[in-house]
Amino acid sequence: MTNPMDRLRSNLSRVRIPEPTNRIFKRECCISFDTPRSEGGLFIDLNTFLAYGKDYVGWNFEKNGNPVYLHIKQTRKLIPEDRPLKKPTHLAIGVEGGFDNNETEYDETHNIVILPDYVILPFPSVELPEKVRLAVDAILMAEGAERKEQVAAWTADKKQTSAYAMNLRQINNGVIVPPSGWKCAKCDKRDNLWLNLTDGMILCGRKNWDGTGGNNHAFEHYKETGYPLAVKLGTITADLEGSDVFSYPEDDSVLDPLLAQHLAFFGIDFSSLKKTEMTTAERELDQNTNFDWNRIQESGQEVEPLFGPGYTGLANLGNSCYLAATMQVVFSTRSFCSRYYVNQNLKLAFGAAPADPTVDLNMQLTKLGHGLLSGKYSIPALEKDDSANTATTTDTKQEGIPPRMFKAVIAASHPEFSSMRQQDALEFFLHFVDQVERVHSGKPDLDPSKSFKFGIEDRIACSSGKVAYNRRHDYILSLNIPLHEAINKEEVQAFHKLKAEKISEGKDVRSSDEIVRPRVPLEACLAAFSAPEEISDFYTTALKAKTTAIKNAGLTSFPDYLVLHMRKFVMEEGWVPKKLDVYIDVPDIIDISHMRSKGLQPGEELLPEGGPEDEAELNMPVASEDIVCQLVSMGFNHLHCQKAAIKTSNTGVEAAMNWLLSHMDDPDIDLPISQQSQGATIDQSKVDTLISFGFQEEIAQKALKASGGDIEKATDWIFNNPDASASSDMDATSSGTAQTLVDAGLTDGGGKYRLFGIVSHIGTSTQCGHYVAHILKDGRWVIFNDDKVGASVNPPKDMGYLYFFERLNS
């Protein structure tokens, strides 16, 4: 038999000494949730520095042939009763166990293991080759990749004060920013909008690598004007430090100590908001939020802890409850359960993964699916018995599995989800299903996200009497809450009267039992979605002019799983953010069959195809005569001045002059505006983007020409000119064949659904507070509150933020 030391020496070529830039995993298996505290410990590959549990290290040897491993095993040790308490560190804040002064300590042992025979050599030992000793010492001394990424995410959130904030110049253009209804000044984008703090321009943000986000107009405005700071609309709250301010020259999110002053310049006054927040809002927070917290988390209820397959909790990584609640519901669906658990084992996923399985979404989803559904980790946690100074099992809670690697993969392309800040569960769900769909682009039959996907059809009737049908796909049905449809209006009015009387007397409504909230039926929210909606400035090809149109919406398909999003967060006058204090009456069974769209009906006539030239001429921007006259009086060319005013969206003389001085040598500076617009070259990358949406190249070119090269407007142009895209798979025509093309690959069936999942939110904003999931499993409701899993006594069906319905077979 070969001497173990000789075997080790013969494999030294497969041992590497880690460099400072290497990622070293030593806390968790990359295939499972095994740790050094697991029964078999953890094996670290001395070539790749990836970690594997006892049952999986052999797979790595079969795949990569790496035979030498560092084995780490931790066993619980007794803690002296008189041990002083430890002071928590700054980085412990918000981190799991950060304030646990009685946390259990472990003894750790190390060995060198050589596969395939699992030959064991003790470490430390002077007999080991120097290369092995250096490699192991470096691994043990290094901060693990898991911890390093977590610390980096925390510290990355610490913003620095901008060098441009204290002396920021602001231009008085008479701009007053309203509290809602914002739109990019250069396109039709209505989300991801930024307010430039110098001139008050509202423009869309940067385009992400995957085509999502804005159209770069805010950044382009900075390049044209040099105005450095912008604040993201929708993030402005009474806590100004929580507002998202970006510095373009510093290329980072920053702090603006004078943000209140800079915002007040454009009519955003925070003095009244702060006063309101410190009185009414805080008083209601004591009454309502505490009530929500107890009701949604079922505090005070005798909740029976549950263990076993499908009842595994997720450890909170620090503000990760939005992820935990969402993924618990997602993995309660047949589609995701089948894709990543029933029909795919861990070995198959590992075999198909790249060299580093920690960065592979398929591998990490399979790992998460097996962790949640197998029951392997759903066992009672060990608790320290202080009286006996021993560790005993408890039947009241479990430790839960930490979704670190999954979070790192799914958030890799998203700056917000990769942070340690609280996030919107809705935004995370949409990002998640989008990423899942992308990785299945070549194999749609395996894509589990399609079980959530459905078609929406908008019927638009203009004043000419003709109609257009526009179709799109979505994963969620977002519903407004019509408070005027509340079924308890009289009780609500009486409560507010009583509340006003008590406040006038200096008293508070302190008992949660006294609080009366509007109660709105879900049916009313669904009806509001389908109700006629007036569209202003609709360009009709029948009249070749803008007019008012009426839009009705319906569904072209009914997915396997329907997700309803309740729009509880609104912005009131005076920039006061508000969460609607409302109950939604949600029945266990709903029928949305009446919401199916019918397509073109007999006697209806589609809007004719229109030439893009007419609309382009109609939409051509006009220069401000006041700005042009002032520039001309300075000696500049009249045509050049017109272009400068148009290019800076008529924001002011100074902005126009800056543009003019930096574009005097442009080759097309003397080209007439109309000719320049008509003869402009269409950016092929924008054509390719529209093609990727499913439009034909000819239609994409025509739309871009009509919209001045703006992708957002081009998309709207195609939807508003349905006959122009007759052969596109995003077609707005009426034939049965076209309908089939549009909805190809979508699941469909009857309109009856059963409620099976609820994601509830506690707090005043989606960016703070807490998320909890309630799921119908095995005929009973179960609460998933991070790592706590138990039988629900009173599921908060009327307090959900996201509702998940499963289509009944029909």
Side-chain angles (χ1 to χ4, degrees), residues 511-672:
S511 172
S512 59
D513 294 333
E514 298 178 49
I515 297 174
V516 179
R517 291 173 166 167
R519 187 170 289 277
V520 179
L522 178 63
E523 291 86 344
C525 303
L526 292 168
F529 173 82
S530 302
E533 176 187 350
E534 186 176 283
I535 304 176
S536 58
D537 293 331
F538 176 79
Y539 180 81
T540 168
T541 54
L543 304 175
K544 293 187 177 182
K546 289 187 176 182
T547 183
T548 299
I550 301 298
K551 183 184 78 172
N552 294 84
L555 276 61
T556 64
S557 63
F558 293 150
D560 291 342
Y561 298 99
L562 178 67
V563 183
L564 301 183
H565 162 235
M566 310 311 299
R567 295 181 178 174
K568 290 189 173 183
F569 298 94
V570 297
M571 190 75 75
E572 290 190 318
E573 290 297 327
W575 283 81
V576 180
K578 179 182 179 181
K579 180 179 181 181
L580 294 181
D581 205 14
V582 61
Y583 290 126
I584 308 296
D585 272 348
V586 180
D588 292 331
I589 305 293
I590 63 172
D591 189 343
I592 62 170
S593 301
H594 62 283
M595 295 179 67
R596 188 180 286 274
S597 59
K598 299 179 174 60
L600 189 69
Q601 296 298 296
E604 289 184 335
E605 184 179 353
L606 290 172
L607 285 168
E609 179 179 354
E613 294 80 8
D614 294 335
E615 188 176 359
E617 187 72 27
L618 183 68
N619 292 328
M620 187 176 297
V622 178
S624 166
E625 277 303 317
D626 182 51
I627 295 175
V628 172
C629 288
Q630 291 187 58
L631 290 175
V632 169
S633 67
M634 299 176 192
F636 292 106
N637 177 280
H638 188 273
L639 174 62
H640 299 178
C641 297
Q642 286 182 313
K643 287 189 176 184
I646 290 172
K647 288 294 185 179
T648 55
S649 300
N650 295 318
T651 54
V653 174
E654 186 173 352
M657 183 186 297
N658 289 338
W659 184 93
L660 193 55
L661 293 173
S662 59
H663 290 80
M664 290 293 291
D665 297 326
D666 287 1
D668 60 351
I669 192 69
D670 292 314
L671 198 64

Side-chain angles (χ1 to χ4, degrees), residues 702-762:
K702 183 181 292 187
L704 286 167
K705 187 175 181 181
S707 57
D710 188 292
I711 291 181
E712 196 81 17
K713 288 184 178 179
T715 305
D716 290 340
W717 185 89
I718 294 174
F719 284 145
N720 292 335
N721 294 271
D723 291 345
S725 54
S727 57
S728 166
D729 71 353
M730 292 291 287
D731 191 8
T733 62
S734 60
S735 69
T737 303
Q739 173 96 9
T740 303
L741 287 173
V742 170
D743 296 335
L746 298 183
T747 59
D748 199 6
K752 279 193 174 182
Y753 285 84
R754 176 176 56 222
L755 179 68
F756 82 94
I758 308 166
V759 172
S760 304
H761 174 264
I762 311 163

Side-chain angles (χ1 to χ4, degrees), residues 331-342:
F331 271 105
S332 295
T333 63
R334 291 189 306 275
S335 52
F336 275 84
C337 177
S338 298
R339 176 68 179 92
Y340 295 110
Y341 180 61
V342 176

Side-chain angles (χ1 to χ4, degrees), residues 458-471:
D458 294 328
R459 177 187 182 273
I460 302 174
C462 75
S463 56
S464 69
K466 298 180 181 179
V467 298
Y469 283 89
N470 305 327
R471 299 192 180 105

Side-chain angles (χ1 to χ4, degrees), residues 103-119:
E103 65 180 28
T104 305
E105 294 185 359
Y106 291 82
D107 287 318
E108 187 169 287
T109 59
H110 309 120
N111 289 290
I112 302 300
V113 177
I114 307 173
L115 265 61
D117 299 324
Y118 292 86
V119 175

Side-chain angles (χ1 to χ4, degrees), residues 199-401:
D199 60 6
M201 283 284 286
I202 296 177
L203 299 159
C204 61
R206 304 192 195 201
K207 186 183 295 293
N208 297 327
W209 66 271
D210 59 359
T212 61
N215 291 318
N216 288 325
H217 287 142
F219 180 63
E220 290 172 359
H221 184 63
Y222 158 69
K223 289 195 296 183
E224 292 175 356
T225 64
Y227 301 155
L229 301 183
V231 61
K232 188 174 184 180
L233 295 176
T235 69
I236 304 173
T237 64
D239 176 17
L240 291 177
E241 289 191 3
S243 302
D244 193 353
V245 179
F246 192 85
S247 171
Y248 292 105
E250 294 165 298
D251 196 26
D252 203 357
S253 293
V254 296
L255 291 176
D256 178 2
L258 303 179
L259 182 58
Q261 174 184 319
H262 293 153
L263 291 170
F265 189 84
F266 300 112
I268 304 173
D269 183 8
F270 276 86
S271 58
S272 59
L273 170 59
K274 193 167 186 179
K275 181 179 178 181
T276 303
E277 288 286 327
M278 294 300 292
T279 56
T280 306
E282 282 196 348
R283 182 164 56 245
E284 292 187 355
L285 184 66
D286 289 336
Q287 303 157 2
N288 300 349
T289 304
N290 289 339
F291 173 66
D292 291 352
W293 191 276
N294 294 331
R295 170 77 188 285
I296 291 174
Q297 295 197 119
E298 304 192 50
S299 303
Q301 302 280 357
E302 291 295 328
V303 176
E304 173 195 354
L306 298 175
F307 305 95
Y311 297 100
T312 306
L314 285 169
N316 196 313
L317 305 177
N319 290 329
S320 63
C321 55
Y322 68 92
L323 179 151
T326 303
M327 296 312 298
Q328 289 286 9
V329 181
V330 165
F331 271 105
S332 295
T333 63
R334 291 189 306 275
S335 52
F336 275 84
C337 177
S338 298
R339 176 68 179 92
Y340 295 110
Y341 180 61
V342 176
N343 296 332
Q344 179 160 264
N345 60 48
L346 290 168
K347 188 172 185 179
L348 181 65
F350 177 65
D356 185 355
T358 68
V359 299
D360 182 56
L361 181 59
N362 179 64
M363 176 71 252
Q364 294 310 314
L365 273 173
T366 305
K367 169 182 172 176
L368 183 62
H370 281 254
L372 289 174
L373 302 175
S374 67
K376 178 180 179 180
Y377 306 98
S378 181
I379 55 177
L382 290 174
E383 278 193 345
K384 180 177 177 291
D385 186 342
D386 291 324
S387 60
N389 199 22
T390 59
T392 58
T393 59
T394 172
D395 58 0
T396 59
K397 67 176 184 179
Q398 54 178 284
E399 291 184 359
I401 55 176

